[in-house]
Each structure stands twice: as structure tokens, then as C-alpha cells.
Amino acid sequence: MTANLFDILARSITDAGATAIETLAGEQISYGDLVARTGRMANALVALGVSPGDRVAVQVEKSVEAIILYLATARAGAVFLPLNTGYTAAEIAYFIGDAEPALFVCDPARVADLAQAAEQAGARMATLDASGLGSLTDAAEAAAEDFATVPRAADDLAALLYTSGTTGRSKGAMLTHGNLVSNALSLRTAWSYTARDVLIHALPIFHTHGLFVATNVTLFSGASMIFLPKFDIDRIFELMSRATVLMGVPTFYVRLLEDDMLNVETTAQMRLFVSGSAPLLAETHREWRARTGHAILERYGMTETNMNTSNPYDGARVAGTVGLPLPGTEVIVTDPETGVELPQGEIGMIEVRGANVFKGYWRMPEKTAAELRANGFFITGDLGRIDDKGYVHIVGRGKDLIITGGYNVYPKEIEAEIDEIPGVLESAVIGIPHKDFGEAVTAVVVPTGSPTLTEAAIVAALEGRLARFKQPKRVVFVPELPRNTMGKVQKNLLRDHHAGLYQ
Ligand code: ATP
Ligand code: MG
């Protein structure tokens, strides 16, 4: 039996008439339509020269056609490579130069800008715009509907997904059919997803969260999703009266909390709010519960592994934790220096193993060998601990750990204390080079606008609450923290920007 994710999806369809995707324009695409349209698209891909194992690189706006292209690529046995819509021509040249796709699909408005990069990478070009029109759609419409899905083994590649590049240059994670299917099925069970679910899909689809978590879980459940081109507060409030699930990054929840419309009544129809991609503040979790009666379910994953842990659907969703390992995924905490597993409760490197863990980094055998152990554990780069109930707590990224005067300082602990201070909206704590301490603990603070908030006031508030070595040597105020499209704080930019603070 083939392990092609499309075959497994197609076999799970019980109601071909049920709606899979709905758009704001009122278009409704049934599961039957999806199968037929992916058949046409797969034929078009083959006609454009795509063979099994080839990469199909895609930089397009969110549309139903883009999802069809993803599924059709799987049907054709090729490897789907979605790219952030914000990438510039130079960035695209790097990614497609690295991945060498057979085909590069982009917005018609960008052809002139990107043609040279495509040519250099040896890729043919096709176009697809935000409304789903373009040369690719034309080719699909002219093609036949029947397509014999190319058989794939569980460890054949289905996608090449580049990491967000938060800690350095993005790496291509090779994800297999087995990785994607196993994670979709385990999340379906973990979150009690059924065909009756209606997801408000407001995330981009070039990233694990919007593409694999949101889309795969919905499709593998026979559920439906309403596609919003982007995060749109008014639309979300409108849709909450007939939807059941929202998946978002923490900033979605922070923004919704700022709106007076958020209350028990407006969220009464919803059964689940999921957060991930970046840490959700415990305070946001508490405020959300107080206002709506719903406990946000926080989960933890990454490009290389899809999802690893989740707070339980039934059971305590603990604020400030990312929950328990998903069935089939092992999570351990090891000594970052030696790799030896640490006793329960201690902080160290989070490592994960399971059917969800990727096959390695594309064309980076050394990096793969350094981060993926022979015993199957992937060294995530995130630091954390597992509490006595088995819940995983993330304390930050290994690369953000501050070593000051020989002591380890975990930024999250300091940030949590600073965030409690009246007048502070949020904060990021970073290490800045310092001649005496090696690195100096430095707080970057976004004030709520309170005129009394000063550096001295923050330092005074932390006195007695944190050991001296953990207290910031300096506090700098900024109007907002730099974030990428997935809401992740870009601490590397902050470190670069403030690099000279102690010189
Ligand atoms: P790069 O690997 O290129 O530096 P990145 O790690 O930000 O970028 P992604 O794979 O998109 O790229 O993000 C995964 C990371 O996001 C995780 O390693 C973790 O640091 C963070 N993350 C995801 N979910 C959570 C969460 N619920 N709480 C805290 N951090 C999270
Ligand atoms: Mg990463």
C-alpha cells in the first residue's frame, strides 16, 4: 500500500460532498472538488516537466489554488517547497539556488523580478495570483481530471520547508510523507477533531503552523476551514458564531483581547483555541480564560518536527507550559554539553524522537549529523524542563541563553518578572557583550505609555525579586519588539542593534 499522503487523505474521505474549504468570496470547495482539481493540477505539473522527487517551489499569496497545488505536488510524487511571501528577489535566489526546483510558481506581478533567479536555478516558471488565477491555473483547467497518484514510501520526501531563520540562516528541513501523515493523525486525536469542525484559518500557508498543522488536521478529519487572506479581527468575530476552532500565534490572542467584542457570548460557539509558534504569556492565557471561559491550548513544534507536545484537550491546560509529549513522540531533556539525559525537573536541551521527526537538512550533511543523533533524537535548540506531571516548560532558545560572569541566565525568567511591573507592556531580555561579565543581562522594554516608567523604576522593582547576577545591567525602552511574520521576537536583531551598549 502506498504511503503517499494524498492517497491516505483520499481514502479517509467519507463524504465527498462535504465542504473542505470556504473562501470569503463565498466559494465552497468540497472534498470531491478537491480530489478532481488536484488531479487536473497534477497533470499540469507533469506537463510542465515535474517528475517524482523534483522540488516545486512556490511563492504565492494564500488561495485555494495554493492548497490544491500542495496536494497535487504530493500526488505527482514531487516535493512541495513553500516560500514566505515577504522574501525579496535576493532571498528567493538563495532558496531556489539551494533547492534547485524543477518548477517555480510565483505571483504574475513578480515574474520580471524573479525570472533571473529561476533561470539560474534551472527552474521553469508558472504563475498564480491571490485570486487563484495565472498560467498554472490555466494549464490545470485544460488538463484531464484523472491522475494516477504516484506511489510513495513513508520515508520519501513530501516537502522541503525552510526554517524561519530566527537564529541564523534558514535551513531546508526534509519532511517525509510519513512525517506529515503521522503528525496530522496524532493531532486529530489529541484535539478531538471531527468532520463537524469548522476552522477559522487566518495563518499564512508557507509555514508549518498554517500549512501542516491547520490544513492537514482539518483535511484528515473531513472538517472544513474558512480561509482568511490574513489576520482580520472583524472577520474573526463574525466567523466565531459559526466556527468551532481558531489556530493562532500569540499575537492573535493579544490583539483579540484588546477588543471589547471578546467575551463569553462571542466565543460561545467555539470549542477550541490553539496557540503556538512562539511563547504565549501566562498572563494572556489567564486573561483569555477570565474574559471568555476558554483555556487556550498551547502546543509546541517546529519546522523540523511538526508538533511535539500539546496541552491536553481533556485535562489541565497549564498556562506557561506547552503540555505533554504527543503520543508517538518522545521528549527528553539533556545536558547541552554532554548530551546525557538529565534528572527530571532540571533545565537543559530539549530533544525529541518520533515518526514526526524530519529526515535531515537539505544538502547540509554536517549540520544534520550535528543535530540529529544516530539514535533518532533531534536536538531542538530549545531549552526547557519537564515538571513532575510531565508537562514541558520552555525557557528559551539555547542561542538566547545568557552567560554572565560564568552564570547561566534564562531570559524567560527575567522577562516574566519585568512583565509583571505596572507600565510594562512586554519585554525581551538579551545578552550583550561586556568586558567584565562576558555578556551583560540587558532588558529591552516596551512601555504601555506610563510616564512614570523609568530605567531606575524597573531596576528598583526587580531588586529583591531576582538574584543580583540576573538583574539587568541596563534597561532600554523601545516602542515595539521586532517580530517576524509568525510573531517570533527576533532577538538576533536586538542583539545586533544594541551590540555597542557597554563599550
Ligand atoms: P531557525 O531554526 O531558522 O532559527 P525558527 O526555529 O524560529 O528558525 P521555526 O521552525 O518556524 O523556525 O520555529 C520553531 C521554534 O519556534 C521552536 O524551536 C521554538 O523555539 C519556537 N516555538 C514554537 N512553538 C512554541 C511555543 N508554544 N512556545 C515557545 N516557543 C515555541
Ligand atoms: Mg529552529
Side-chain angles (χ1 to χ4, degrees):
M1 203 162 58
T2 160
N4 189 310
L5 77 91
F6 182 84
D7 279 327
I8 297 173
L9 172 63
R11 279 201 300 272
S12 74
I13 298 173
T14 52
D15 180 1
T19 300
I21 312 176
E22 187 186 321
T23 66
L24 289 183
E27 206 190 347
Q28 295 205 342
I29 295 89
S30 70
Y31 278 87
D33 295 337
L34 208 57
V35 171
R37 288 170 67 177
T38 55
R40 293 186 193 281
M41 182 70 85
N43 278 314
L45 291 176
V46 171
L48 284 162
V50 174
S51 302
D54 282 349
R55 276 76 58 212
V56 175
V58 177
Q59 188 195 35
V60 298
E61 294 298 333
K62 187 174 178 180
S63 69
V64 171
E65 292 296 327
I67 293 294
I68 289 170
L69 175 56
Y70 153 57
L71 295 173
T73 303
R75 286 193 79 171
V79 181
F80 190 64
L81 161 48
L83 292 161
N84 192 316
T85 46
Y87 285 152
T88 61
E91 286 164 324
I92 293 292
Y94 164 74
F95 289 110
I96 66 178
D98 186 45
E100 296 186 313
L103 181 67
F104 174 50
V105 183
C106 70
D107 196 281
R110 295 206 67 192
V111 171
D113 201 17
L114 301 172
Q116 199 193 349
E119 192 186 333
Q120 269 171 9
R124 284 174 84 159
M125 279 179 108
T127 60
L128 187 60
D129 73 11
S131 59
L133 299 175
S135 68
L136 188 67
T137 314
D138 295 344
E141 277 169 4
E145 187 179 302
D146 284 338
F147 183 85
T149 299
V150 175
R152 294 280 90 180
D155 74 345
D156 282 331
L157 294 197
L160 181 59
L161 206 59
Y162 283 83
T163 60
S164 296
T166 312
T167 59
R169 183 142 235 185
S170 298
K171 300 145 278 181
M174 299 190 286
L175 294 159
T176 67
H177 287 262
N179 292 151
L180 301 183
V181 173
S182 68
N183 213 242
L185 298 181
S186 74
L187 292 176
R188 179 176 78 182
T189 310
W191 297 345
S192 293
Y193 234 85
T194 73
R196 288 185 303 281
D197 277 309
V198 179
L199 170 74
I200 302 176
H201 192 310
L203 293 158
I205 53 169
F206 48 72
H207 187 269
T208 302
H209 197 166
L211 184 62
F212 298 140
V213 181
T215 303
N216 284 351
V217 174
T218 301
L219 298 180
F220 277 82
S221 304
S224 67
M225 50 191 176
I226 307 169
F227 255 31
L228 302 191
K230 60 178 177 36
F231 178 74
D232 175 338
I233 293 224
D234 295 335
R235 289 290 186 175
I236 289 178
F237 277 113
E238 238 170 80
L239 293 170
M240 280 202 290
S241 62
R242 64 185 183 91
T244 62
V245 182
L246 175 70
M247 294 187 195
V249 295
T251 35
F252 280 22
Y253 295 103
V254 172
R255 297 265 308 279
L256 286 163
L257 271 166
E258 285 165 3
D259 199 299
D260 293 338
M261 288 271 288
L262 188 79
N263 57 39
V264 172
E265 288 75 41
T266 49
T267 57
Q269 169 72 22
M270 299 287 289
R271 74 168 183 90
L272 182 60
F273 293 94
V274 180
S275 175
S277 289
L280 181 79
L281 292 181
E283 186 190 328
T284 308
H285 192 280
R286 282 195 292 271
E287 282 179 18
W288 189 271
R289 188 165 213 166
R291 283 270 287 283
T292 68
H294 290 278
I296 297 174
L297 183 153
E298 185 172 7
R299 92 297 178 280
Y300 161 65
M302 61 199 66
T303 309
E304 295 91 333
T305 65
N306 281 19
M307 299 305 103
N308 296 307
T309 72
S310 171
N311 271 278
Y313 185 71
D314 295 307
R317 298 183 195 162
V318 182
T321 83
V322 293
L324 306 159
L326 285 164
T329 301
E330 293 168 82
V331 180
I332 58 171
V333 173
T334 60
D335 181 325
E337 303 294 317
T338 63
V340 174
E341 191 170 349
L342 290 170
Q344 184 270 316
E346 286 190 22
I347 292 177
M349 177 61 68
I350 298 178
E351 299 192 21
V352 299
R353 175 164 73 181
N356 56 313
V357 174
F358 76 141
K359 221 175 154 169
Y361 291 113
W362 175 257
R363 292 185 180 164
M364 289 178 138
E366 278 151 32
K367 184 123 193 117
T368 303
E371 294 183 10
L372 199 53
R373 296 186 192 280
N375 65 6
F377 274 101
F378 171 57
I379 304 167
T380 62
D382 292 316
L383 298 173
R385 66 180 172 89
I386 303 179
D387 69 20
D388 56 2
K389 298 201 171 61
Y391 284 68
V392 177
H393 300 239
I394 296 175
V395 301
R397 293 174 182 263
K399 288 197 174 160
D400 293 335
L401 174 73
I402 304 166
I403 304 178
T404 183
Y407 293 106
N408 284 357
V409 173
Y410 300 102
K412 193 175 173 187
E413 183 189 354
I414 324 301
E415 289 160 4
E417 289 291 344
I418 295 176
D419 292 348
E420 294 289 318
I421 300 171
V424 172
L425 187 64
E426 58 175 352
S427 62
V429 169
I430 52 175
I432 301 285
H434 187 288
K435 67 178 178 359
D436 298 331
F437 299 102
E439 281 182 308
V441 178
T442 307
V444 182
V445 171
V446 182
T448 53
S450 154
T452 57
L453 195 67
T454 59
E455 178 167 14
I458 289 182
V459 171
L462 295 175
E463 187 69 44
R465 292 172 68 174
L466 289 171
R468 179 62 46 90
F469 73 91
K470 295 181 185 172
Q471 293 174 15
K473 299 271 176 300
R474 287 293 311 272
V475 179
V476 292
F477 293 98
V478 294
E480 61 180 6
L481 297 176
R483 283 198 154 82
N484 70 12
T485 36
M486 298 306 291
K488 294 173 202 283
V489 176
Q490 294 166 304
K491 288 193 171 177
N492 53 340
L493 298 186
L494 288 175
R495 280 190 290 261
D496 291 349
H497 190 78
H498 299 288
L501 198 61
Y502 300 98
Q503 274 159 20

